[in-house]
Amino acid sequence: QVRLVESGGGLVQVGGSLRLSCAASVRTINEYATGWFRQAPGKEREFVSSFSADATSGDYADSVKGRFIISGDRVNTVYLQMDSLRPEDSAIYYCALSRKIDPVGASDFHVWGQGTQVIVSS
């Protein structure tokens, strides 16, 4: 019933920036923890970032700390600001929602978007 739509992906050069958006068909995104995951060709889906319910904290994979920032309007949209992009950041990025206040893995997320592709070229 709940749907997520990602946008903002595209082609960017090394060192560039993108901001991904995820629009959710919910009354208030404050009910959920939000997360971003990514999957590159031939690789497994990996955790990128998450934002706890009630926006108490944000978590990041070590590979993106200091470069990516998760945020939201606390109504129905979550963002992922990506700076200093590297070729290894190239992947399809997915947003997801969880009813757990502090999810620890992909299995804790129950709603997923269709993904938006990010390509970082050198």
Side-chain angles (χ1 to χ4, degrees):
Q1 293 180 340
V2 178
R3 296 179 180 272
L4 304 177
V5 179
E6 301 98 331
S7 62
L11 176 65
V12 64
Q13 294 185 5
V14 170
S17 298
L18 288 172
R19 188 177 74 159
L20 306 183
S21 298
C22 176
S25 61
V26 296
R27 289 181 177 270
T28 172
I29 205 165
N30 187 54
E31 300 176 13
Y32 305 89
T34 61
W36 287 94
F37 295 78
R38 67 188 182 188
Q39 187 168 18
K43 296 185 177 181
E44 295 184 351
R45 180 179 55 189
E46 65 175 332
F47 167 78
V48 176
S49 182
S50 64
F51 203 48
S52 64
D54 298 319
T56 56
S57 64
D59 294 317
Y60 301 89
D62 288 342
S63 60
V64 306
K65 285 182 178 178
R67 300 189 298 118
F68 291 9
I69 298 175
I70 189 170
S71 64
D73 61 9
R74 300 190 58 76
V75 178
N76 61 2
T77 305
V78 61
Y79 304 98
L80 184 68
Q81 177 67 44
M82 306 187 296
D83 297 325
S84 301
L85 285 163
R86 307 166 180 171
E88 54 264 40
D89 295 320
S90 298
I92 298 176
Y93 283 72
Y94 301 89
C95 66
L97 302 182
S98 174
R99 288 197 175 275
K100 298 193 69 173
I101 190 169
D102 190 14
V104 297
S107 63
D108 288 336
F109 291 84
H110 62 97
V111 182
W112 294 82
Q114 85 289 347
T116 185
Q117 187 169 28
V118 172
I119 301 175
V120 184
S121 62
S122 60

